[in-house]
Amino acid sequence: MKKIIIGNWKMNPETAKEAQGVFSDVALGVKGFRKTSVVICAPSVFLEAMNALKIKGVSLGAENCFFGDVGPYTGEISAVQLKNIGVKYVILGHSERRALGEDNELISKKIKSAISAGLKVVLCVGETSRDEAGEYLSFLHDELVESLSKIKKVDLKNLIIAYEPIWAVGKNAPRSATPEDVHQATLLLRKILVEMFGRESGLGVPVIYGGSVNTKNALEMITLGGVDGLLAGRESLDSDKFVEIARIANTV
Ligand code: PEP
């Protein structure tokens, strides 16, 4: 399986010109990386301009979508609309959206809609904090099971799970995750996927890690953390750093 390196630009940058610039620089930098798939997820408002560059070798992703194809949902953007402007991936269930009120029920509808539209879904799951009694393990279990409640085995080829512990995401994160933290959680996520969909299908779903990924921890997160790739937030806005993360993944 190729390693998957995804950038989440969040609500950055300010202009389409800057977005095009970083996107082109990343594409240039990752040229020839054969063991890695690279995806940039950008604000919807820039996706058309980025797609117009006709860049090969880096896929375009959105950071969110709504469910349904068309309808009375003011301000929302559907998966079909994204697909029609060249988008291939969409992040769903990111903790920054869950913090705005998205729950597993809504996320499950979005996932179903996005996969039906032909997008690949990057589903983010992760606990707010860890506790001695291991309650966070049941939280992770329920979050994954409920978010995937509308998904069938055949849909799994279009699914990536991103383990993003909220306590390790963003510049105000209380602490960094260790590869051991990541390994433990991803083992659990894989076990749940196997319970839900059977061994072969469950183990075929890539599980990646996100949370303050940088050029220093990328290698150990992949090798010791045992993940199939990485999701970088802040570091993905700097094309040199993001390309370096992809280069590291390409050597594993
Ligand atoms: C993210 O936005 O999904 C993320 C992991 O952010 P950061 O890398 O900045 O912690």
Side-chain angles (χ1 to χ4, degrees):
M1 192 190 286
K2 278 188 177 187
K3 293 284 177 284
I4 304 163
I5 301 298
I6 303 178
N8 172 23
W9 283 359
K10 311 190 189 215
M11 201 168 72
N12 300 288
E14 287 189 348
T15 65
K17 213 172 165 52
E18 287 172 87
Q20 286 180 317
V22 182
F23 193 46
S24 318
D25 289 348
V26 169
L28 209 61
V30 303
K31 218 169 173 180
F33 290 5
R34 296 198 194 297
K35 290 158 64 187
T36 312
S37 301
V38 180
V39 182
I40 299 267
C41 297
S44 304
V45 73
F46 299 141
L47 294 170
E48 210 160 2
M50 291 165 73
N51 188 52
L53 297 174
K54 300 202 184 316
I55 277 171
K56 301 243 179 316
V58 182
S59 301
L60 203 51
E63 299 174 11
N64 181 33
C65 71
F66 202 60
F67 61 81
D69 298 342
V70 287
Y73 301 109
T74 304
E76 296 292 352
I77 295 171
S78 76
V80 168
Q81 289 168 335
L82 293 172
K83 175 82 181 166
N84 288 340
I85 58 163
V87 171
K88 303 270 188 306
Y89 290 75
V90 62
I91 295 175
L92 291 173
H94 192 281
S95 56
E96 289 158 10
R97 296 216 55 88
R98 291 180 189 266
L100 294 173
E102 292 199 9
D103 60 11
N104 294 333
E105 169 68 18
L106 175 64
I107 291 160
S108 71
K109 288 189 198 165
K110 291 183 172 195
I111 296 175
K112 186 172 164 26
S113 203
I115 291 182
S116 305
L119 296 182
K120 288 193 185 294
V121 168
V122 183
L123 167 65
C124 298
V125 293
E127 72 282 2
T128 313
S129 57
R130 290 201 170 191
D131 58 297
E132 289 287 313
E135 286 294 324
Y136 69 94
L137 297 170
S138 346
F139 174 88
L140 258 185
H141 173 276
D142 294 350
E143 191 167 59
L144 185 65
V145 170
E146 288 172 23
S147 301
L148 295 182
S149 61
K150 296 183 172 52
I151 289 307
K152 300 198 177 68
K153 233 186 215 188
V154 35
D155 300 323
L156 295 181
K157 58 181 181 308
N158 291 315
L159 181 71
I160 296 164
I161 304 296
Y163 172 58
E164 293 218 321
I166 297 171
W167 48 267
V169 173
K171 75 172 188 306
N172 298 321
R175 77 167 174 95
S176 314
T178 63
E180 293 72 29
D181 293 326
V182 173
H183 191 222
Q184 180 214 47
T186 52
L187 274 180
L188 173 70
L189 295 171
R190 289 196 165 102
K191 180 170 178 288
I192 300 165
L193 289 166
V194 167
E195 279 164 11
M196 289 179 82
F197 302 106
R199 193 176 163 75
E200 204 184 330
S201 305
L203 292 180
V205 178
V207 179
I208 67 173
Y209 169 71
S212 304
V213 166
N214 56 43
T215 52
K216 294 194 182 69
N217 63 19
L219 183 64
E220 60 176 18
M221 285 303 180
I222 295 177
T223 53
L224 305 176
V227 289
D228 301 307
L230 300 167
L231 198 167
R234 282 156 293 155
E235 299 276 302
S236 67
L237 283 156
D238 180 321
S239 56
D240 289 342
K241 289 183 181 163
F242 188 61
V243 167
E244 178 58 13
I245 291 169
R247 191 197 61 74
I248 292 166
N250 199 56
T251 61
V252 180

